[in-house]
Structure formats: structure tokens, C-alpha cells
Amino acid sequence: AIVAAGWRVQRAVAQLIEFSRPDTNTITELLVNETIQTALDLVGGQFQAGTTQLEINLQPSLPNLRGNARQMVDLWVNLLMLARDATNDGQVHRISVRSEQAPAGDVQVEICDDGKPIPVDELATLFESNFLRSPGGRGNGIELNICQEIVRQHGGEICAHSSAERGTMIRVSFPWEG
């Protein structure tokens, strides 16, 4: 276990060094599952130490997308950390990450949690910049706006659904022009 943890730390440090380099805004072909896995490598340890169970279900063989891999990793890191914030109450919680190709061909990623729901009156303006609120105990009010901008720059869409009964689901869809 110690050796495995050491290798995880080494991978995380290498990725942090890579992230510290200036972004070149390079648009390349990328695999969305690889960007999700990189994000999980960066923040996964924060889930292992807590009471939140992380469930990963990534559909293999998703089509390549065109985009900036660093921005995509930032997107997933932000969404994962916001879900963690909502489940950070000392209770046992679950966060799931799922990727799939929708029937229309779009690549979809859903990040769901069973933590504190986002109030219904905040859902309509959830992705707008607002430093005065923290939607459903998630972040400081700017992260979701940043996520929306990353998704927009990649031609995708982001939406949120939240209720006390079902939890919160953030769905990101990217068009595939295969």
C-alpha cells in the first residue's frame, strides 16, 4: 500500500509540474476519459481520506474530441471539488462520475453527488458569476462560471439538476462530429 501510494504521489507531482507550465491553448485530439482520469489522479486522494465514496464508470472507446486537455482537466477538477464540498459534512456520501456516448453521438459526462442540494431558486442562475453566494455549499460562486466557459469554448453544454431526494447532477455534453 505504501509503494502504491508513493507512485500515486509521484504521478500527482509530475502532473502538478506539468500544470505549472504556461498554457499554450493547444487544441488537439483528446480522450475525455483520459482527462477525467488525470483529474482523479490530482484530487482523488482528497476523497480517499474522507467519508465520501467515489464511484467511477467510464465507458470505454468513446470517440476523440478536439479541445484543450489542460482546460478539460481543470473542468473535471472543479466539478469534483464542488461535489466534494457539498458532501463535506462528516456523513457517509457518494459521488459518481460517468461518461458515455449519447444516442445522438454526443459525449456526455455526469458528476453526481448525494450531498447538500442546490436550492431551486439558484438553479436558473447557477452558472453566472456571483461572489456573494456559494450554491449549495459548493465553492465560492465563481467555479461553475469557469466550468461553463470551458465547456462553451469546447462547443459543449453544461446543465445541473438538484433535489433533496435525488442529489445533484451536473451533466456536460460535447458534440462529436465523427
Side-chain angles (χ1 to χ4, degrees):
I2 292 171
V3 170
W7 285 111
R8 276 194 309 274
V9 168
Q10 183 180 12
R11 276 195 318 272
V13 168
Q15 289 168 342
L16 287 170
I17 290 170
E18 178 64 29
F19 271 42
S20 68
R21 294 186 180 125
D23 189 8
T24 60
N25 286 328
T26 304
I27 303 298
T28 61
E29 295 244 337
L30 59 88
L31 294 171
V32 72
N33 286 347
E34 286 183 6
T35 63
I36 293 169
Q37 193 58 56
T38 300
L40 290 167
D41 288 346
L42 289 170
V43 300
Q46 296 188 31
F47 294 95
Q48 292 174 355
T51 57
T52 301
Q53 179 184 6
L54 195 56
E55 296 177 2
I56 312 301
N57 183 11
L58 305 179
Q59 179 181 330
S61 304
L62 289 175
N64 291 354
L65 300 176
R66 292 207 41 84
N68 182 296
R70 178 183 266 172
Q71 287 180 343
M72 293 291 268
V73 171
D74 288 346
L75 170 67
W76 310 130
V77 166
N78 270 322
L79 293 175
L80 286 165
M81 297 309 292
L82 291 170
R84 189 213 52 176
D85 288 352
T87 60
N88 197 14
D89 61 5
Q91 303 295 318
V92 176
H93 287 284
R94 180 181 63 84
I95 295 174
S96 66
V97 179
R98 183 170 63 107
S99 69
E100 66 181 359
Q101 186 169 9
D106 291 352
V107 174
Q108 293 184 342
V109 177
E110 292 179 354
I111 297 180
C112 304
D113 68 73
D114 63 359
K116 185 177 177 187
I118 299 169
V120 174
D121 60 328
E122 292 183 11
L123 282 172
T125 60
L126 186 63
F127 297 102
E128 296 175 10
S129 297
N130 188 340
F131 292 105
L132 302 178
R133 69 166 162 74
S134 177
R138 298 160 195 266
N140 62 25
I142 191 70
E143 293 96 336
L144 286 168
N145 182 257
I146 292 168
C147 291
Q148 180 185 41
E149 182 57 24
I150 292 170
V151 172
R152 185 195 65 75
Q153 288 178 11
H154 287 81
E157 295 180 2
I158 185 170
C159 65
H161 303 281
S162 189
S163 70
E165 301 81 34
R166 294 184 144 164
T168 299
M169 187 247 334
I170 307 284
R171 178 181 294 136
V172 180
S173 299
F174 296 105
W176 178 62
E177 302 165 1

